[in-house]
Amino acid sequence: MNTSHSHANGGALPVIKIDTAIEKKEQVVDAGLQSLDHYKRALPKWRYNLRQQALPLVRWETPYLAWLQATLRSPTLDSYFAITANLGTHTFFMIGLPIMFWCGNASFGKGLVHMLAAGVFFTGFVKDFFSLPRPLSPPLHRITMSGSAALEYGFPSTHSANAVSVAVYGILCLHDPDNPLQPSTRSALEALAYFYAISIVFGRLYCGMHGFFDVIVGSVMGALISLTEYHYGAALNNYLLENSWTSLSAVLLLIIVLIRVHPEPADDCPCFDDSVAFAGVMIGLEIGTWRFGRSSFADIPFDLNALGWPAVILRILFGVLLIFAWREVAKPSLLRGLPHLFRLIETWGLSLPRRFFMPASEYKKIPLRLRVDNVMPNVSDLPGLITAVRGPGRGRSVSVGPQSAADAYETLAYRERRRRESGSVGSKPGLRNKASAQDMATPQEDDNNGSYMSPAARSSAVSSSPLHQKPSDFEKLMGEGTVIVSPAEIDGNGDAEPVVYIGSQDELGHKEVFSKLVKPRVRYDVEVVTKLVVYCGIGWLAVEIIPVLYEFIPGLSAGHLRVA
């Protein structure tokens, strides 16, 4: 049965497909306890115990974060922090870093790739290991331009690790005795590095995407990664160049082993996908630099004045287009061809399945336009991205309410905790425990003033007068996100999985949307290898193939600048 309900502002809520089991007038089991069972089932006991020890810290800091956000919020800061958050994403660096290799800064660029790959991998490793949620919404408002960011776990912050690693590495390079820049230039760049890191890290707090502990640990990880790269990166590069392919093979094998031991998350978190993408870049980078450093092209210098801006711009455009062309061709080709190989490997008993990924023996073909990652946009996505940024909301969204499975389970777990602390068998006032999605989408009368106010609206009301509010006022909103759970259904593996419905309010659109928290799309085993090969190719193209091709294209070559 399909139903739709009219919104108070005149809009129509999305049609919600309601299962027959939910339509029955049975009392829905409140999932506070179910949410705890979810992580007990999904995680090994020792990991679950560590998660439960860290979880109170996330809950403790949430009302203070909400108070800070409500005190500082303004439309200008909303746009600023939402837009500048893109400067800390791996998408930004994946598009910008190849230019370093094409414009005479290969050593600095390789250091950045090492740090960002390590930051994305190890923060993703810790995220999936602990499976800790982001701070609750409500009371926080989530301000973001990324549709996938809220789907990841919160601890630690990858944005903070990326920003701090780049800033610290840049500052260390500026203070290097061999740095040729003038003191005034070094001071200006150092101030810019500090501003960049502080802006990104504080922006994660302001946008309600991370807590204090998330950004502190992420920043510490970023600083440690940059210090390691600064002091030992050059020595490793020289060691690989001076030795045979066996040393390079050992490094590549280590990267593949790290991918294999990446922890299985409790929910379908995209952290593993990002880790695989950057591992692929690292493999391509190491192969390409090892080969390029031994070739006759390695001593060709880059001179902006000699080449001229038109030639340099054309070099960059050619390189970017070639990378996008490789991705557009390689991805569908691999998705079409790899399943046959994987089925053969399965017959040998050599498959290494991961949770949430379907083995090749259980499907016939894969949609060729499948989105297998969020690291780089597809060519077809670019017009939409430009239109979104130029729109009224500058591409950002401001939402209140659960946005992922981790959000929903944490909302319900906190709700159960409050119920237990109150000693009440029934629900706390204001919590929305409904028997069906239809009941959830129907406005209910409030016992206090005769009118219903959604959790998102209550959060906005509290935030609208922050000077008269205390963190304890925001704590009262925790666990009041709109989440209901139907009786558990049995999936294909015989496991009982509840059907979860969530409600979130789009602050910019002024409407509350109720939707079923659907199970993640089917994910195929070949996606991991596809991503690894595609991004390995991107790294290899950037550091070897494209610089070599420049020398065969009239107007782009720099071979005449080689010193005899």
Side-chain angles (χ1 to χ4, degrees), residues 95 98-99 102-103 309-327 538 540-557:
I95 295 175
I99 298 175
W102 306 333
C103 296
W309 276 106
V312 171
I313 292 174
L314 287 175
R315 284 163 66 105
I316 293 173
L317 289 176
F318 172 78
V320 171
L321 289 175
L322 193 58
I323 284 177
F324 273 100
W326 156 257
R327 185 175 181 271
I538 289 174
W540 199 338
L541 280 167
V543 303
E544 181 190 7
I545 298 176
I546 291 175
V548 170
L549 289 177
Y550 286 154
E551 302 309 312
F552 296 93
I553 301 176
L556 302 185
S557 172

Side-chain angles (χ1 to χ4, degrees), residues 434 442-453:
K434 307 295 181 184
T442 304
Q444 302 294 312
E445 293 298 316
D446 186 273
D447 295 336
N448 296 326
N449 54 21
S451 62
Y452 168 73
M453 181 178 288

Side-chain angles (χ1 to χ4, degrees), residues 58-68 139 471-472 474-475 478:
V58 178
R59 295 171 175 174
W60 169 83
E61 63 183 358
T62 298
Y64 295 95
L65 291 165
W67 176 84
L68 177 67
S472 58
F474 292 94
E475 193 277 335
M478 294 175 62

Side-chain angles (χ1 to χ4, degrees), residues 12 112 170 177 260 272 275 300 322 360 391 447 451 497 529:
L112 291 182
R260 181 54 199 160
F272 177 69
S275 297
I300 298 178
L322 193 58
D447 295 336
S451 62
E497 291 292 338
V529 175

Side-chain angles (χ1 to χ4, degrees), residues 206-516:
Y206 178 93
C207 292
M209 301 301 292
H210 286 285
F212 301 113
F213 194 51
D214 299 343
V215 300
I216 290 172
V217 174
S219 299
V220 170
M221 292 178 69
L224 292 174
I225 289 169
S226 59
L227 288 170
T228 303
E229 173 61 28
Y230 180 77
H231 290 291
Y232 302 106
L236 176 61
N237 292 337
N238 293 332
Y239 172 78
L240 292 177
L241 285 175
E242 293 170 0
N243 286 274
S244 65
W245 61 269
T246 54
S247 300
L248 175 65
S249 300
V251 173
L252 303 184
L253 180 61
L254 175 62
I255 295 173
I256 294 174
V257 169
L258 287 174
I259 294 173
R260 181 54 199 160
V261 300
H262 194 286
E264 296 273 11
D267 308 287
D268 191 12
C269 175
C271 298
F272 177 69
D273 302 68
D274 298 340
S275 297
V276 170
F278 266 89
V281 171
M282 280 284 289
I283 292 174
L285 174 76
E286 297 303 334
I287 294 175
T289 53
W290 187 82
R291 288 171 48 85
F292 188 76
R294 292 165 169 258
S295 71
S296 60
F297 299 95
D299 60 347
I300 298 178
F302 175 85
D303 190 327
L304 176 60
N305 294 325
L307 288 172
W309 276 106
V312 171
I313 292 174
L314 287 175
R315 284 163 66 105
I316 293 173
L317 289 176
F318 172 78
V320 171
L321 289 175
L322 193 58
I323 284 177
F324 273 100
W326 156 257
R327 185 175 181 271
E328 291 296 310
V329 172
K331 187 183 75 171
S333 300
L334 290 167
L335 292 177
R336 185 185 298 112
L338 281 177
H340 304 290
L341 176 62
F342 271 55
R343 293 186 189 105
L344 179 62
I345 293 175
E346 277 190 61
T347 61
W348 299 340
L350 299 178
S351 61
L352 297 174
R354 283 186 65 90
R355 191 179 184 198
F356 304 114
F357 287 87
M358 179 184 293
S361 58
E362 297 182 11
Y363 60 85
K364 293 184 178 180
K365 64 179 182 177
I366 301 175
L368 296 184
R369 300 306 302 173
L370 183 71
R371 179 182 292 276
V372 300
D373 66 77
N374 297 300
V375 178
M376 285 184 65
N378 293 322
V379 173
S380 58
D381 295 334
L382 296 179
L385 293 174
I386 296 173
T387 302
V389 173
R390 295 176 60 187
R394 295 294 185 265
R396 77 181 192 275
S397 66
V398 184
S399 62
V400 183
Q403 294 176 278
S404 67
D407 287 345
Y409 284 125
E410 172 58 9
T411 296
L412 295 165
Y414 195 84
R415 181 180 302 177
E416 179 67 17
R417 172 194 167 185
R418 291 178 63 178
R419 179 184 299 132
R420 290 175 178 174
E421 290 177 350
S422 68
S424 171
V425 177
S427 303
K428 290 182 65 66
L431 297 182
R432 304 182 69 187
N433 295 309
K434 307 295 181 184
S436 70
Q438 180 175 359
D439 293 337
M440 180 179 71
T442 304
Q444 302 294 312
E445 293 298 316
D446 186 273
D447 295 336
N448 296 326
N449 54 21
S451 62
Y452 168 73
M453 181 178 288
S454 71
R458 290 197 296 275
S459 178
S460 298
V462 172
S463 301
S464 63
S465 56
L467 296 179
H468 305 289
Q469 302 294 341
K470 303 183 294 297
S472 58
D473 296 314
F474 292 94
E475 193 277 335
K476 297 174 183 177
L477 295 172
M478 294 175 62
E480 294 204 2
T482 306
V483 181
I484 65 169
V485 178
S486 75
E489 296 180 349
I490 306 299
D491 63 15
N493 297 324
D495 298 324
E497 291 292 338
V499 178
V500 181
Y501 289 82
I502 60 175
S504 61
Q505 176 165 318
D506 177 6
E507 186 179 280
L508 298 179
H510 303 290
K511 63 180 181 179
E512 188 166 14
V513 178
F514 301 94
S515 60
K516 179 178 179 179

